[in-house]
Amino acid sequence: MPRSFLVKKHSNSAKKPNYSELEGPAVFISPHIYHGLPLPLPEVRSPAAYSPIPVWTTSSLPLSPVSGYPSSLSDASSKDHSGSESPRSDEDERLPGKLAEAHGAEAEKFQCAVCGKAYSTYSGLLKHKQLHCDQARKNFSCKFCDKQYVSLGALKMHIRTHTLPCVCKICGKAFSRPWLLQGHIRTHTGEKPFSCPHCSRAFADRSNLRAHLQTHSDVKKYQCLSCSKTFSRMSLLHKHQESGCCAAH
DNA sequence: CTGGGGAGGGGGCCC
DNA sequence: CGGGCCCCCTCCCCA
């Protein structure tokens, strides 16, 4: 589970320095978001506007019945995005015509200028060169911490977690991204656009609704491999295991 | 102690 | 390239 957010951060966000004071102009969410405070916003998005939320019962778990929990979850996560997993190969095959002609006409082999490795096709060489690029490109370093990124965009995204350019007009709390601020503003407005289809509860955050939906399921998403007991949250499973699983001893 | 809600954070993907 | 959104996750707190 190489997700970088697992890197230990400040345990208390309130102790974080206000980077918004350090650099860059503050970014404010458009004023209409604050409209009607402290009453809930009028345009509460219907839950139907979001992806349908399945009830996970014993027989209809969307994930394979919880095996090794972290990896399986990661797999499930990546599966969600796997639809766009390999568009690159397509592009690689589509060579710029001029280049292909210029290179292909004069030689049967295409040699890497870096390591000398030869390829029969230009696309093969391009793919190979990409490896060199990936290795060499990871030099976008954060000036606030030790993290490195392969692209400037990724680095910029990360730096925002230091600069926190999105500031709440109401309480002054700063966030790295506008949608984080929007979610925060809901704590002021009371807006809860994510409704549970099985009870009357509503949530301001989709993740919290998703966690709540687990409570309606007989078989929870996270299962103890020792005693098969299931939990709605990984943290609960961790607690269970750390406290000594009933069947583990 | 356990389960659940609230709030917030990060990277990835799509447009 | 940037914004918006998605998903997953953690931490804190409370019943």
Side-chain angles (χ1 to χ4, degrees):
Chain A
M1 185 161 29
R3 296 178 67 111
S4 62
F5 60 66
L6 294 180
V7 175
K8 181 64 178 177
K9 305 281 185 329
H10 299 278
S11 59
N12 185 350
S13 61
K15 293 178 181 175
K16 286 184 180 179
N18 188 353
Y19 289 103
S20 62
E21 295 174 355
L22 297 180
E23 76 169 40
V27 174
F28 293 97
I29 291 293
S30 75
H32 79 272
I33 289 183
Y34 297 92
H35 177 72
L37 277 173
L39 297 175
L41 292 177
E43 70 272 35
V44 175
R45 300 173 69 179
S46 162
Y50 301 94
S51 57
I53 300 155
V55 184
W56 296 336
T57 62
T58 310
S59 59
S60 63
L61 275 174
L63 302 175
S64 59
V66 284
S67 49
Y69 61 89
S71 58
S72 67
L73 288 173
S74 296
D75 292 347
S77 168
S78 61
K79 183 183 62 181
D80 291 342
H81 302 288
S82 63
S84 56
E85 193 62 33
S86 56
R88 291 282 176 261
S89 59
D90 219 23
E91 289 180 14
D92 290 343
E93 300 304 330
R94 250 180 273 126
L95 295 176
K98 294 175 185 175
L99 276 178
E101 289 173 12
H103 288 76
E106 62 179 343
E108 293 181 3
K109 287 195 172 183
F110 299 88
Q111 194 168 23
C112 174
V114 178
C115 66
K117 200 169 182 180
Y119 292 83
S120 58
T121 63
Y122 185 64
S123 62
L125 174 60
L126 277 183
K127 285 181 181 177
H128 165 76
K129 287 172 75 175
Q130 186 63 37
L131 293 177
H132 288 302
C133 289
D134 289 343
Q135 292 168 0
R137 258 190 334 180
K138 199 168 185 177
N139 57 359
F140 293 94
S141 301
C142 176
K143 62 181 177 181
F144 298 108
C145 67
D146 296 331
K147 288 191 175 180
Q148 291 187 328
Y149 293 86
V150 297
S151 70
L152 182 60
L155 174 60
K156 282 183 176 179
M157 175 81 76
H158 165 75
I159 286 179
R160 297 179 69 166
T161 68
H162 293 292
T163 59
L164 302 177
C166 308
V167 182
C168 176
K169 277 185 175 180
I170 300 171
C171 67
K173 192 166 174 53
F175 300 86
S176 60
R177 305 185 206 183
W179 62 266
L180 276 174
L181 173 55
Q182 285 188 328
H184 165 75
I185 289 174
R186 291 197 189 111
T187 68
H188 293 302
T189 64
E191 180 192 11
K192 293 182 176 181
F194 302 97
S195 300
C196 175
H198 309 292
C199 67
S200 58
R201 290 199 70 102
F203 300 85
D205 182 84
R206 190 200 301 270
S207 290
N208 291 337
L209 170 59
R210 189 178 294 113
H212 165 77
L213 285 172
Q214 286 285 305
T215 68
H216 289 297
S217 175
D218 290 338
V219 176
K220 311 296 194 296
K221 195 174 181 179
Y222 306 98
Q223 184 177 40
C224 174
L225 294 177
S226 299
C227 67
S228 297
K229 189 175 181 182
T230 58
F231 300 87
S232 59
R233 297 175 182 218
M234 186 185 291
S235 58
L236 295 176
L237 172 60
H238 283 164
K239 283 182 183 178
H240 165 75
Q241 291 174 328
E242 288 171 0
S243 64
C245 171
C246 50
H249 303 290

